[in-house]
Amino acid sequence: MRTNEDFTPSAELLSFMKFNNLQTLAELLSISDEDLVKMRGFGYRILKEILELRKI
């Protein structure tokens, strides 16, 4: 089973976090889906990665 420690964010996800001043993955995961889709740089690949991380 994968854990958060095994997860390596993509360069695209890291850029998204930087654009939106998010410092940690926990901070990213605390944002509601409704707010995520409104954020600059959000797209399908970001959504896919976030959903994968939420399954962990």
CSV table of all heavy atoms in Angstrom, one decimal:
chain,number,residue,atom,x,y,z
A,1,MET,N,0.8,-1.2,0.0
A,1,MET,CA,0.0,0.0,0.0
A,1,MET,C,0.9,1.2,0.0
A,1,MET,O,1.9,1.3,0.7
A,1,MET,CB,-0.9,0.0,1.2
A,1,MET,CG,-1.9,1.1,1.3
A,1,MET,SD,-3.1,0.9,2.6
A,1,MET,CE,-3.1,2.5,3.2
A,2,ARG,N,0.5,2.2,-0.8
A,2,ARG,CA,1.3,3.5,-0.9
A,2,ARG,C,0.9,4.3,0.3
A,2,ARG,O,-0.2,4.3,0.8
A,2,ARG,CB,1.0,4.2,-2.2
A,2,ARG,CG,1.6,3.5,-3.4
A,2,ARG,CD,1.3,4.2,-4.6
A,2,ARG,NE,1.7,5.6,-4.6
A,2,ARG,CZ,1.5,6.5,-5.5
A,2,ARG,NH1,0.9,6.2,-6.6
A,2,ARG,NH2,2.0,7.7,-5.4
A,3,THR,N,1.9,5.2,0.7
A,3,THR,CA,1.7,6.1,1.7
A,3,THR,C,2.0,7.5,1.2
A,3,THR,O,2.6,7.6,0.1
A,3,THR,CB,2.6,5.8,3.0
A,3,THR,OG1,3.9,6.0,2.6
A,3,THR,CG2,2.3,4.4,3.5
A,4,ASN,N,1.7,8.5,2.0
A,4,ASN,CA,2.1,9.9,1.5
A,4,ASN,C,3.6,10.1,1.4
A,4,ASN,O,4.0,10.8,0.5
A,4,ASN,CB,1.6,10.9,2.6
A,4,ASN,CG,0.1,11.1,2.5
A,4,ASN,OD1,-0.6,10.7,1.5
A,4,ASN,ND2,-0.5,11.8,3.4
A,5,GLU,N,4.4,9.3,2.1
A,5,GLU,CA,5.8,9.4,2.0
A,5,GLU,C,6.3,8.9,0.7
A,5,GLU,O,7.3,9.3,0.2
A,5,GLU,CB,6.5,8.7,3.2
A,5,GLU,CG,6.3,9.4,4.5
A,5,GLU,CD,5.0,9.1,5.2
A,5,GLU,OE1,4.4,8.0,5.0
A,5,GLU,OE2,4.4,10.0,5.8
A,6,ASP,N,5.6,7.9,0.1
A,6,ASP,CA,5.9,7.3,-1.2
A,6,ASP,C,5.5,8.2,-2.4
A,6,ASP,O,6.0,8.0,-3.5
A,6,ASP,CB,5.2,6.0,-1.4
A,6,ASP,CG,5.7,4.9,-0.3
A,6,ASP,OD1,6.8,5.1,0.2
A,6,ASP,OD2,4.9,4.0,-0.1
A,7,PHE,N,4.7,9.1,-2.1
A,7,PHE,CA,4.2,10.0,-3.2
A,7,PHE,C,5.2,11.0,-3.6
A,7,PHE,O,5.7,11.8,-2.8
A,7,PHE,CB,2.8,10.7,-2.8
A,7,PHE,CG,2.2,11.5,-3.8
A,7,PHE,CD1,1.5,10.9,-4.9
A,7,PHE,CD2,2.4,12.9,-3.8
A,7,PHE,CE1,0.9,11.7,-5.8
A,7,PHE,CE2,1.8,13.7,-4.8
A,7,PHE,CZ,1.1,13.1,-5.8
A,8,THR,N,5.5,11.1,-4.9
A,8,THR,CA,6.4,12.1,-5.4
A,8,THR,C,5.5,13.0,-6.3
A,8,THR,O,5.1,12.6,-7.4
A,8,THR,CB,7.5,11.5,-6.2
A,8,THR,OG1,8.2,10.6,-5.3
A,8,THR,CG2,8.5,12.6,-6.7
A,9,PRO,N,5.3,14.3,-5.9
A,9,PRO,CA,4.5,15.2,-6.8
A,9,PRO,C,5.2,15.5,-8.1
A,9,PRO,O,6.5,15.6,-8.1
A,9,PRO,CB,4.3,16.4,-5.9
A,9,PRO,CG,5.3,16.3,-4.8
A,9,PRO,CD,5.8,14.9,-4.7
A,10,SER,N,4.5,15.6,-9.1
A,10,SER,CA,5.0,16.0,-10.5
A,10,SER,C,5.5,17.4,-10.4
A,10,SER,O,5.1,18.2,-9.6
A,10,SER,CB,4.0,15.8,-11.5
A,10,SER,OG,2.9,16.8,-11.4
A,11,ALA,N,6.3,17.8,-11.4
A,11,ALA,CA,6.7,19.2,-11.6
A,11,ALA,C,5.5,20.1,-11.8
A,11,ALA,O,5.5,21.2,-11.3
A,11,ALA,CB,7.7,19.3,-12.7
A,12,GLU,N,4.5,19.6,-12.5
A,12,GLU,CA,3.3,20.4,-12.8
A,12,GLU,C,2.6,20.7,-11.5
A,12,GLU,O,2.1,21.8,-11.3
A,12,GLU,CB,2.4,19.6,-13.8
A,12,GLU,CG,1.3,20.4,-14.2
A,12,GLU,CD,0.5,19.8,-15.3
A,12,GLU,OE1,0.7,18.6,-15.6
A,12,GLU,OE2,-0.4,20.4,-15.9
A,13,LEU,N,2.4,19.7,-10.6
A,13,LEU,CA,1.8,19.9,-9.3
A,13,LEU,C,2.5,20.8,-8.5
A,13,LEU,O,2.0,21.7,-7.8
A,13,LEU,CB,1.5,18.6,-8.6
A,13,LEU,CG,0.8,18.7,-7.3
A,13,LEU,CD1,-0.6,19.3,-7.4
A,13,LEU,CD2,0.7,17.3,-6.6
A,14,LEU,N,3.9,20.7,-8.5
A,14,LEU,CA,4.7,21.6,-7.7
A,14,LEU,C,4.6,23.1,-8.2
A,14,LEU,O,4.5,24.0,-7.4
A,14,LEU,CB,6.1,21.2,-7.7
A,14,LEU,CG,6.4,19.8,-7.0
A,14,LEU,CD1,7.9,19.4,-7.2
A,14,LEU,CD2,6.1,20.0,-5.5
A,15,SER,N,4.5,23.2,-9.5
A,15,SER,CA,4.3,24.6,-10.1
A,15,SER,C,2.9,25.1,-9.7
A,15,SER,O,2.8,26.3,-9.3
A,15,SER,CB,4.4,24.5,-11.6
A,15,SER,OG,5.7,24.2,-12.0
A,16,PHE,N,1.9,24.3,-9.7
A,16,PHE,CA,0.6,24.7,-9.3
A,16,PHE,C,0.6,25.2,-7.9
A,16,PHE,O,0.0,26.2,-7.5
A,16,PHE,CB,-0.4,23.5,-9.5
A,16,PHE,CG,-1.8,23.8,-9.0
A,16,PHE,CD1,-2.7,24.6,-9.6
A,16,PHE,CD2,-2.2,23.2,-7.8
A,16,PHE,CE1,-4.0,24.9,-9.1
A,16,PHE,CE2,-3.5,23.5,-7.2
A,16,PHE,CZ,-4.3,24.3,-7.9
A,17,MET,N,1.2,24.4,-7.0
A,17,MET,CA,1.3,24.8,-5.6
A,17,MET,C,2.1,26.1,-5.4
A,17,MET,O,1.6,27.0,-4.7
A,17,MET,CB,2.0,23.7,-4.8
A,17,MET,CG,1.1,22.4,-4.7
A,17,MET,SD,2.0,21.0,-3.9
A,17,MET,CE,2.2,21.7,-2.3
A,18,LYS,N,3.1,26.3,-6.2
A,18,LYS,CA,3.9,27.5,-6.1
A,18,LYS,C,3.1,28.7,-6.6
A,18,LYS,O,3.1,29.8,-5.9
A,18,LYS,CB,5.2,27.4,-6.9
A,18,LYS,CG,6.1,28.6,-6.8
A,18,LYS,CD,7.4,28.4,-7.6
A,18,LYS,CE,8.3,29.6,-7.4
A,18,LYS,NZ,9.5,29.4,-8.2
A,19,PHE,N,2.4,28.6,-7.7
A,19,PHE,CA,1.6,29.7,-8.2
A,19,PHE,C,0.5,30.1,-7.2
A,19,PHE,O,0.2,31.3,-7.2
A,19,PHE,CB,0.8,29.2,-9.5
A,19,PHE,CG,1.7,29.1,-10.7
A,19,PHE,CD1,1.3,28.2,-11.7
A,19,PHE,CD2,2.8,29.8,-10.9
A,19,PHE,CE1,2.1,28.0,-12.8
A,19,PHE,CE2,3.6,29.7,-12.0
A,19,PHE,CZ,3.2,28.8,-13.0
A,20,ASN,N,0.0,29.1,-6.4
A,20,ASN,CA,-1.1,29.4,-5.5
A,20,ASN,C,-0.6,29.5,-4.0
A,20,ASN,O,-1.4,29.5,-3.1
A,20,ASN,CB,-2.1,28.4,-5.7
A,20,ASN,CG,-2.8,28.5,-7.0
A,20,ASN,OD1,-3.6,29.4,-7.3
A,20,ASN,ND2,-2.5,27.6,-7.9
A,21,ASN,N,0.7,29.7,-3.9
A,21,ASN,CA,1.3,29.9,-2.5
A,21,ASN,C,0.9,28.8,-1.5
A,21,ASN,O,0.6,29.1,-0.4
A,21,ASN,CB,0.9,31.3,-2.0
A,21,ASN,CG,1.5,32.4,-2.8
A,21,ASN,OD1,2.6,32.3,-3.3
A,21,ASN,ND2,0.6,33.4,-3.1
A,22,LEU,N,1.0,27.5,-2.0
A,22,LEU,CA,0.7,26.4,-1.1
A,22,LEU,C,2.0,25.8,-0.7
A,22,LEU,O,2.8,25.4,-1.6
A,22,LEU,CB,-0.2,25.4,-1.8
A,22,LEU,CG,-1.6,25.9,-2.3
A,22,LEU,CD1,-2.2,24.9,-3.2
A,22,LEU,CD2,-2.4,26.3,-1.1
A,23,GLN,N,2.3,25.6,0.6
A,23,GLN,CA,3.6,25.2,1.0
A,23,GLN,C,3.7,23.7,1.2
A,23,GLN,O,4.7,23.1,1.0
A,23,GLN,CB,3.9,25.8,2.4
A,23,GLN,CG,3.9,27.4,2.3
A,23,GLN,CD,5.0,27.9,1.3
A,23,GLN,OE1,6.1,27.4,1.3
A,23,GLN,NE2,4.6,28.8,0.5
A,24,THR,N,2.5,23.0,1.5
A,24,THR,CA,2.6,21.6,1.8
A,24,THR,C,1.5,20.8,1.1
A,24,THR,O,0.5,21.4,0.7
A,24,THR,CB,2.4,21.3,3.3
A,24,THR,OG1,1.1,21.7,3.7
A,24,THR,CG2,3.5,22.0,4.1
A,25,LEU,N,1.6,19.5,0.9
A,25,LEU,CA,0.6,18.7,0.3
A,25,LEU,C,-0.6,18.7,1.2
A,25,LEU,O,-1.8,18.7,0.7
A,25,LEU,CB,1.1,17.3,0.1
A,25,LEU,CG,2.1,17.1,-1.0
A,25,LEU,CD1,2.6,15.7,-1.1
A,25,LEU,CD2,1.6,17.6,-2.4
A,26,ALA,N,-0.4,18.7,2.5
A,26,ALA,CA,-1.6,18.7,3.5
A,26,ALA,C,-2.4,20.0,3.3
A,26,ALA,O,-3.6,19.9,3.3
A,26,ALA,CB,-1.1,18.6,4.9
A,27,GLU,N,-1.7,21.1,3.0
A,27,GLU,CA,-2.4,22.3,2.8
A,27,GLU,C,-3.2,22.2,1.5
A,27,GLU,O,-4.4,22.7,1.4
A,27,GLU,CB,-1.4,23.5,2.7
A,27,GLU,CG,-2.0,24.9,2.6
A,27,GLU,CD,-0.9,25.9,2.6
A,27,GLU,OE1,0.3,25.6,2.7
A,27,GLU,OE2,-1.3,27.1,2.4
A,28,LEU,N,-2.6,21.6,0.4
A,28,LEU,CA,-3.3,21.4,-0.8
A,28,LEU,C,-4.6,20.6,-0.7
A,28,LEU,O,-5.6,20.9,-1.2
A,28,LEU,CB,-2.4,20.8,-1.8
A,28,LEU,CG,-3.0,20.3,-3.2
A,28,LEU,CD1,-3.4,21.6,-4.0
A,28,LEU,CD2,-2.0,19.5,-3.9
A,29,LEU,N,-4.4,19.5,0.1
A,29,LEU,CA,-5.5,18.5,0.3
A,29,LEU,C,-6.7,19.1,1.1
A,29,LEU,O,-7.8,18.6,1.1
A,29,LEU,CB,-5.0,17.2,0.9
A,29,LEU,CG,-4.1,16.5,0.0
A,29,LEU,CD1,-3.5,15.2,0.7
A,29,LEU,CD2,-4.7,16.1,-1.3
A,30,SER,N,-6.4,20.1,1.9
A,30,SER,CA,-7.4,20.7,2.7
A,30,SER,C,-8.4,21.7,1.9
A,30,SER,O,-9.4,22.1,2.4
A,30,SER,CB,-6.8,21.5,3.9
A,30,SER,OG,-6.2,22.7,3.4
A,31,ILE,N,-8.0,22.0,0.7
A,31,ILE,CA,-8.8,22.9,-0.1
A,31,ILE,C,-9.9,22.1,-0.8
A,31,ILE,O,-9.7,21.0,-1.3
A,31,ILE,CB,-7.9,23.5,-1.2
A,31,ILE,CG1,-6.8,24.3,-0.5
A,31,ILE,CG2,-8.8,24.4,-2.1
A,31,ILE,CD1,-5.8,24.9,-1.5
A,32,SER,N,-11.1,22.6,-0.7
A,32,SER,CA,-12.3,21.9,-1.3
A,32,SER,C,-12.2,21.8,-2.8
A,32,SER,O,-11.5,22.7,-3.5
A,32,SER,CB,-13.6,22.6,-0.9
A,32,SER,OG,-13.7,23.9,-1.6
A,33,ASP,N,-12.8,20.9,-3.4
A,33,ASP,CA,-12.8,20.7,-4.9
A,33,ASP,C,-13.3,21.9,-5.6
A,33,ASP,O,-12.8,22.3,-6.6
A,33,ASP,CB,-13.7,19.5,-5.3
A,33,ASP,CG,-13.1,18.2,-4.8
A,33,ASP,OD1,-11.9,18.1,-4.5
A,33,ASP,OD2,-13.8,17.2,-4.8
A,34,GLU,N,-14.4,22.5,-5.0
A,34,GLU,CA,-15.0,23.7,-5.6
A,34,GLU,C,-14.0,24.9,-5.7
A,34,GLU,O,-14.0,25.6,-6.7
A,34,GLU,CB,-16.2,24.2,-4.8
A,34,GLU,CG,-17.4,23.2,-4.9
A,34,GLU,CD,-17.2,22.0,-3.9
A,34,GLU,OE1,-16.4,22.1,-3.0
A,34,GLU,OE2,-18.0,21.1,-4.1
A,35,ASP,N,-13.1,25.0,-4.7
A,35,ASP,CA,-12.1,26.1,-4.7
A,35,ASP,C,-10.9,25.7,-5.6
A,35,ASP,O,-10.4,26.6,-6.2
A,35,ASP,CB,-11.7,26.4,-3.2
A,35,ASP,CG,-12.8,27.0,-2.4
A,35,ASP,OD1,-13.6,27.7,-3.0
A,35,ASP,OD2,-12.7,26.8,-1.2
A,36,LEU,N,-10.6,24.4,-5.6
A,36,LEU,CA,-9.5,24.0,-6.5
A,36,LEU,C,-9.7,24.4,-7.9
A,36,LEU,O,-8.8,24.9,-8.6
A,36,LEU,CB,-9.2,22.5,-6.3
A,36,LEU,CG,-8.5,22.0,-5.1
A,36,LEU,CD1,-8.5,20.5,-5.1
A,36,LEU,CD2,-7.0,22.5,-5.2
A,37,VAL,N,-10.9,24.1,-8.4
A,37,VAL,CA,-11.2,24.3,-9.9
A,37,VAL,C,-11.1,25.8,-10.2
A,37,VAL,O,-10.9,26.2,-11.4
A,37,VAL,CB,-12.5,23.7,-10.3
A,37,VAL,CG1,-12.5,22.2,-10.2
A,37,VAL,CG2,-13.7,24.3,-9.6
A,38,LYS,N,-11.2,26.7,-9.3
A,38,LYS,CA,-11.1,28.1,-9.5
A,38,LYS,C,-9.7,28.7,-9.5
A,38,LYS,O,-9.4,29.8,-9.8
A,38,LYS,CB,-11.9,28.9,-8.4
A,38,LYS,CG,-13.4,28.6,-8.5
A,38,LYS,CD,-14.1,29.2,-7.3
A,38,LYS,CE,-15.5,28.8,-7.2
A,38,LYS,NZ,-16.2,29.3,-5.9
A,39,MET,N,-8.8,27.8,-9.0
A,39,MET,CA,-7.4,28.3,-8.8
A,39,MET,C,-6.6,28.3,-10.1
A,39,MET,O,-6.8,27.5,-11.0
A,39,MET,CB,-6.7,27.4,-7.8
A,39,MET,CG,-7.3,27.5,-6.4
A,39,MET,SD,-6.6,26.3,-5.3
A,39,MET,CE,-5.2,27.2,-4.8
A,40,ARG,N,-5.7,29.3,-10.2
A,40,ARG,CA,-4.9,29.5,-11.4
A,40,ARG,C,-4.0,28.2,-11.7
A,40,ARG,O,-3.4,27.7,-10.8
A,40,ARG,CB,-4.0,30.7,-11.2
A,40,ARG,CG,-3.1,31.0,-12.4
A,40,ARG,CD,-2.3,32.3,-12.2
A,40,ARG,NE,-1.4,32.1,-11.1
A,40,ARG,CZ,-0.3,32.9,-10.9
A,40,ARG,NH1,-0.2,33.9,-11.6
A,40,ARG,NH2,0.5,32.7,-9.9
A,41,GLY,N,-4.0,27.8,-12.9
A,41,GLY,CA,-3.2,26.6,-13.3
A,41,GLY,C,-3.9,25.3,-13.1
A,41,GLY,O,-3.3,24.2,-13.4
A,42,PHE,N,-5.1,25.2,-12.6
A,42,PHE,CA,-5.8,24.0,-12.3
A,42,PHE,C,-6.2,23.3,-13.6
A,42,PHE,O,-6.6,24.0,-14.5
A,42,PHE,CB,-7.0,24.1,-11.4
A,42,PHE,CG,-7.6,22.9,-11.0
A,42,PHE,CD1,-7.0,22.2,-9.9
A,42,PHE,CD2,-8.7,22.3,-11.6
A,42,PHE,CE1,-7.6,21.0,-9.5
A,42,PHE,CE2,-9.2,21.1,-11.2
A,42,PHE,CZ,-8.7,20.4,-10.2
A,43,GLY,N,-6.0,22.0,-13.7
A,43,GLY,CA,-6.4,21.3,-14.9
A,43,GLY,C,-6.6,19.8,-14.6
A,43,GLY,O,-6.4,19.4,-13.5
A,44,TYR,N,-6.9,19.1,-15.7
A,44,TYR,CA,-7.2,17.7,-15.5
A,44,TYR,C,-6.0,16.9,-14.9
A,44,TYR,O,-6.2,16.1,-14.0
A,44,TYR,CB,-7.5,17.0,-16.9
A,44,TYR,CG,-7.6,15.5,-16.9
A,44,TYR,CD1,-8.7,14.9,-16.3
A,44,TYR,CD2,-6.5,14.7,-17.3
A,44,TYR,CE1,-8.8,13.6,-16.2
A,44,TYR,CE2,-6.6,13.4,-17.2
A,44,TYR,CZ,-7.8,12.8,-16.7
A,44,TYR,OH,-7.8,11.4,-16.6
A,45,ARG,N,-4.8,17.2,-15.3
A,45,ARG,CA,-3.6,16.4,-14.8
A,45,ARG,C,-3.4,16.7,-13.3
A,45,ARG,O,-3.1,15.8,-12.5
A,45,ARG,CB,-2.4,16.7,-15.6
A,45,ARG,CG,-2.4,16.0,-16.9
A,45,ARG,CD,-1.1,16.2,-17.7
A,45,ARG,NE,-0.8,17.6,-17.9
A,45,ARG,CZ,-0.6,18.1,-19.1
A,45,ARG,NH1,-0.6,17.4,-20.1
A,45,ARG,NH2,-0.3,19.4,-19.2
A,46,ILE,N,-3.7,18.0,-12.9
A,46,ILE,CA,-3.6,18.3,-11.5
A,46,ILE,C,-4.7,17.6,-10.7
A,46,ILE,O,-4.4,17.0,-9.6
A,46,ILE,CB,-3.7,19.8,-11.3
A,46,ILE,CG1,-2.6,20.6,-12.0
A,46,ILE,CG2,-3.8,20.2,-9.8
A,46,ILE,CD1,-1.2,20.4,-11.5
A,47,LEU,N,-5.9,17.6,-11.2
A,47,LEU,CA,-7.0,16.9,-10.6
A,47,LEU,C,-6.7,15.4,-10.4
A,47,LEU,O,-6.9,14.9,-9.3
A,47,LEU,CB,-8.3,17.1,-11.4
A,47,LEU,CG,-9.5,16.3,-11.0
A,47,LEU,CD1,-9.9,16.7,-9.6
A,47,LEU,CD2,-10.6,16.4,-11.9
A,48,LYS,N,-6.2,14.8,-11.5
A,48,LYS,CA,-5.9,13.4,-11.4
A,48,LYS,C,-4.9,13.1,-10.3
A,48,LYS,O,-5.0,12.1,-9.6
A,48,LYS,CB,-5.4,12.9,-12.8
A,48,LYS,CG,-5.1,11.4,-12.9
A,48,LYS,CD,-4.6,11.1,-14.3
A,48,LYS,CE,-4.2,9.6,-14.4
A,48,LYS,NZ,-3.7,9.3,-15.7
A,49,GLU,N,-3.9,13.9,-10.2
A,49,GLU,CA,-2.8,13.7,-9.2
A,49,GLU,C,-3.3,13.9,-7.8
A,49,GLU,O,-3.0,13.2,-6.9
A,49,GLU,CB,-1.6,14.6,-9.5
A,49,GLU,CG,-0.4,14.2,-8.9
A,49,GLU,CD,0.8,14.9,-9.4
A,49,GLU,OE1,0.8,15.6,-10.5
A,49,GLU,OE2,1.9,14.8,-8.8
A,50,ILE,N,-4.2,14.9,-7.6
A,50,ILE,CA,-4.8,15.2,-6.3
A,50,ILE,C,-5.7,14.1,-5.9
A,50,ILE,O,-5.6,13.6,-4.7
A,50,ILE,CB,-5.5,16.6,-6.3
A,50,ILE,CG1,-4.5,17.7,-6.4
A,50,ILE,CG2,-6.3,16.7,-5.0
A,50,ILE,CD1,-5.1,19.1,-6.6
A,51,LEU,N,-6.5,13.6,-6.8
A,51,LEU,CA,-7.4,12.4,-6.5
A,51,LEU,C,-6.6,11.2,-6.1
A,51,LEU,O,-7.0,10.5,-5.2
A,51,LEU,CB,-8.3,12.2,-7.7
A,51,LEU,CG,-9.4,13.2,-7.9
A,51,LEU,CD1,-10.2,12.9,-9.2
A,51,LEU,CD2,-10.3,13.4,-6.7
A,52,GLU,N,-5.5,11.0,-6.8
A,52,GLU,CA,-4.6,9.8,-6.5
A,52,GLU,C,-4.0,10.0,-5.1
A,52,GLU,O,-4.0,9.1,-4.3
A,52,GLU,CB,-3.5,9.7,-7.5
A,52,GLU,CG,-2.5,8.6,-7.2
A,52,GLU,CD,-3.2,7.2,-7.4
A,52,GLU,OE1,-4.1,7.1,-8.2
A,52,GLU,OE2,-2.7,6.3,-6.7
A,53,LEU,N,-3.6,11.2,-4.7
A,53,LEU,CA,-3.1,11.5,-3.4
A,53,LEU,C,-4.1,11.3,-2.3
A,53,LEU,O,-3.8,10.8,-1.2
A,53,LEU,CB,-2.5,12.9,-3.4
A,53,LEU,CG,-1.7,13.3,-2.1
A,53,LEU,CD1,-0.6,12.3,-1.8
A,53,LEU,CD2,-1.2,14.7,-2.3
A,54,ARG,N,-5.3,11.7,-2.6
A,54,ARG,CA,-6.4,11.6,-1.6
A,54,ARG,C,-6.8,10.1,-1.3
A,54,ARG,O,-7.3,9.8,-0.2
A,54,ARG,CB,-7.6,12.3,-2.1
A,54,ARG,CG,-7.5,13.8,-1.9
A,54,ARG,CD,-8.7,14.6,-2.3
A,54,ARG,NE,-8.6,16.0,-2.1
A,54,ARG,CZ,-9.4,16.9,-2.6
A,54,ARG,NH1,-10.5,16.5,-3.3
A,54,ARG,NH2,-9.2,18.2,-2.3
A,55,LYS,N,-6.5,9.2,-2.3
A,55,LYS,CA,-6.8,7.8,-2.1
A,55,LYS,C,-5.8,7.2,-1.1
A,55,LYS,O,-6.1,6.2,-0.4
A,55,LYS,CB,-6.7,7.0,-3.4
A,55,LYS,CG,-7.9,7.3,-4.3
A,55,LYS,CD,-8.0,6.3,-5.4
A,55,LYS,CE,-6.8,6.0,-6.2
A,55,LYS,NZ,-7.0,5.2,-7.4
A,56,ILE,N,-4.6,7.8,-0.9
A,56,ILE,CA,-3.6,7.2,-0.1
A,56,ILE,C,-4.0,7.4,1.4
A,56,ILE,O,-4.5,8.3,1.8
A,56,ILE,CB,-2.2,7.9,-0.3
A,56,ILE,CG1,-1.8,7.7,-1.8
A,56,ILE,CG2,-1.2,7.5,0.7
A,56,ILE,CD1,-0.5,8.4,-2.2
